[in-house]
Amino acid sequence: MNLLAPIERIGRDPRTGGYRRYVWNDADMELREWFAGEAAARGMAYEEDGNGNQVAWWGFDSHARSTDEGGSALLLGSHLDSVPDGGAYDGPLGVVSAFAAVDRLRADDFTPSRPIAVACFADEEGARFGVACAGSRLAAGTLDPARALALKDRDGLTLAEVLTARGRDPRTLGRSAWLDRVGTFVELHVEQGRSLVHSGDAVGVATAIWPHGRWRLDFEGRADHAGTTPMPDRRDPMPAYAATVVAATRRAYEEGARATFGRVEVEPGGANAIPSRVTAWLDARAADDAVLARMLDAILVDAREAASASRVRVEAAVESASPAVTFDHDLRTRLAAALDAPLLPTGAGHDAGVLSAFVPTAMLFVRNPSGVSHSPDEHADDADCAAGVDALVRTVLELA
Ligand code: HGY
Ligand code: MN
Ligand code: MN
C-alpha cells in the first residue's frame, strides 16, 4: 500500500474518483516517470522500448546486450494505464507488487538464479487508440506497427503524432529485443470477479482467458428535423443501433457469453435532430472461439436487419481480437501447488495472454471482495494485497 500511495492521485478524476490514465496522456507520462524512478531507486537497469513498454532489470544489465542470458529471465509486472474511470488496482497492483516482491527478496539477501525483470506494458486497456494490449502486441510482433501508427484517438490524433509530441520516435515501433531475454512471465492482477470470494482464498492462479474482442459498428442515416419529419420518412440510425443492443444482449444470454456496448457516439448530437450517424463499440466475449464467432455472426445479421428496417447503412470493423488463451499447464500446476492456491479462468484480457503465445506464462489473481472492476469501486483488501506479494515472492523462489 505504501507503493500505491505515491501514484494514488495521478490521473484521478476528482468528480468520479475514477482513473483516466490513457497511453501518453499527462497522467501516463507522470506514471512513466514514477516507474523509472522506482527502478532507479532500486539500482535496477531501466529501459523503455520503442513501443513505450518500460522494463526494470535485477541481475541483468540491459545495455550489455549479452546473449548468454537470452531467454532466461523471469518477468513480473503488469500495466499502469486504465479504462475511463478505472479503479486503482487493475494494472497498478501487479506493478507495485512486483517491486515489493523484489524488495522483500533483496532484504532477505536472496540471489536469483536467473535475471528478474519488472515490466509496465503500455496501453493495455486500449482506452485511447482502441486496440487492447497494444504495447505487448507490438513488442511480440503481433500488431503491425504501420497499423498501430495510423490509429486515431478521440481527438483525431494518430499514434504517430502523439508519439512524436512526446519526444518518441515512431520509427522504433515494433518487435522488442528485450522480450528475447524473457523465459517466463508471471502477471499478478486483481481478480475481476468473485471466484476467490466464493472459494475463500486470497490468491488464485489463472487457467485460461476467454476469447474476446472489440468491434466498431457505424450506423449511417440521414439528419433531419425531429418535429417535421414523419416517422415513415426517416432514415434514423438510432433505432437500428438500439435494436442491435437488444439483440446482442439476447444473444449473449442465449450463448452464456458476454456482449457490451460501453461506448457510443451520436452525430451531430442534437436533442431535436435525427442523428446522421451512430457509432458504437461492441465488446464481445465467450468461453470458446467457436461460440464467440457464432454469436458475432448472429449479432451482425441482427444489426443488418435492424439497419435495413430503418433504411440506414451499417458497417462493422474489428478493432482488436484476442483468441482463447490457455496458460502453460506445467507452470500453472506448479504455482498452484507451491502457493496452495485454486485455479480459475477469467473473462478479462491481459498482456499475459499475448505473451503466453511466446513464453510459458502464468497469472496470479488477488481477491476482490465485490468482484467489481473497471470502476472506481474496484477494491482489494490490504491483507490480500500483502498475500499477493507473498505469492509473488514464493513464485520467484520457486522459479528463480
Ligand atoms: O478489457 C479487459 O478485459 C482487460 O481488463 N484489459
Ligand atoms: Mn482492465
Ligand atoms: Mn489489467
Side-chain angles (χ1 to χ4, degrees):
M1 302 321 290
N2 289 342
L3 278 169
L4 272 176
I7 59 170
E8 207 178 329
R9 57 168 189 89
I10 302 175
R12 188 180 217 167
D13 185 288
R15 196 175 48 85
T16 62
Y19 288 95
R20 294 172 180 199
R21 297 163 167 171
Y22 313 141
V23 71
W24 304 116
N25 76 357
D26 288 347
D28 190 63
M29 296 307 290
E30 239 188 286
L31 290 164
R32 286 173 182 282
E33 270 182 45
W34 171 84
F35 185 97
E38 292 299 309
R42 290 168 177 79
M44 297 172 85
Y46 169 77
E47 62 182 308
E48 181 187 292
D49 70 15
N51 310 303
N53 301 310
Q54 299 176 285
V55 199
W57 296 90
W58 172 22
F60 183 85
D61 176 359
S62 66
H63 304 292
R65 301 277 174 255
S66 145
T67 49
D68 313 344
E69 304 195 81
S72 69
L74 169 59
L75 178 68
L76 310 174
S78 190
H79 63 98
L80 293 173
D81 67 311
S82 76
V83 296
D85 268 347
Y89 298 84
D90 176 358
L93 185 64
V95 176
V96 301
S97 298
F99 279 128
V102 167
D103 293 346
R104 282 264 301 280
L105 290 157
R106 285 174 153 189
D108 292 345
D109 283 331
F110 174 74
T111 305
S113 60
R114 57 198 284 203
I116 308 287
V118 177
C120 172
F121 285 102
D123 201 12
E124 193 272 350
E125 301 287 5
R128 183 165 183 183
F129 291 102
V131 177
C133 299
S136 56
R137 286 183 208 259
L138 283 163
T142 58
L143 173 58
D144 175 24
R147 181 187 164 220
L149 287 172
L151 293 169
K152 286 185 180 165
D153 69 7
R154 291 175 201 226
D155 298 325
L157 293 172
T158 63
L159 175 59
E161 289 165 337
V162 169
L163 284 168
T164 305
R166 290 304 191 183
R168 269 66 177 181
D169 183 354
R171 290 168 306 184
T172 60
L173 221 66
R175 257 197 62 73
S176 301
W178 67 266
L179 259 191
D180 295 336
R181 291 179 240 137
V182 173
T184 311
F185 177 37
V186 180
E187 178 173 2
L188 177 144
H189 204 278
V190 67
E191 196 198 347
Q192 298 168 294
R194 302 188 75 227
S195 295
L196 294 171
V197 172
H198 296 310
S199 70
D201 297 282
V203 174
V205 176
T207 52
I209 296 180
W210 279 23
H212 58 282
R214 296 179 197 178
W215 288 263
R216 197 186 70 234
L217 272 64
D218 280 295
F219 297 87
E220 205 183 315
R222 188 185 61 204
D224 212 332
H225 195 286
T228 60
T229 320
M231 300 311 278
D233 294 351
R234 298 176 178 217
R235 288 175 50 211
D236 184 350
M238 186 59 85
Y241 160 66
T244 304
V245 175
V246 174
T249 304
R250 180 172 47 81
R251 300 276 181 200
Y253 268 104
E254 284 167 6
E255 297 283 10
R258 318 263 196 266
T260 307
F261 283 93
R263 179 180 171 196
V264 56
E265 288 172 5
V266 181
E267 284 174 41
N272 55 353
I274 295 164
S276 57
R277 174 190 291 265
V278 174
T279 303
W281 282 260
L282 167 67
D283 179 306
R285 313 185 186 216
D288 71 63
D289 291 304
V291 173
L292 181 60
R294 185 170 67 214
M295 179 173 79
L296 272 168
D297 285 349
I299 293 173
L300 293 181
V301 168
D302 295 334
R304 279 188 209 106
E305 279 174 8
S308 126
S310 293
R311 299 187 301 130
V312 303
R313 274 161 32 101
V314 62
E315 271 178 33
V318 61
E319 288 205 335
S320 69
S322 308
V325 168
T326 305
F327 288 111
D328 187 85
H329 185 269
D330 292 349
L331 182 60
R332 74 184 200 228
T333 309
R334 189 170 165 191
L335 290 183
L339 305 174
D340 189 22
L343 289 158
L344 56 140
T346 175
H350 302 282
D351 296 308
V354 174
L355 263 63
S356 69
F358 302 92
V359 290
T361 297
M363 288 194 76
L364 306 182
F365 290 128
V366 171
R367 178 165 49 196
N368 171 346
S370 67
V372 170
S373 186
H374 285 187
S375 148
D377 292 337
E378 179 182 273
H379 182 72
D381 289 339
D382 290 4
D384 289 348
C385 294
V389 175
D390 283 343
L392 266 189
V393 167
R394 274 185 284 155
T395 296
V396 175
L397 294 176
E398 180 72 20
L399 303 176

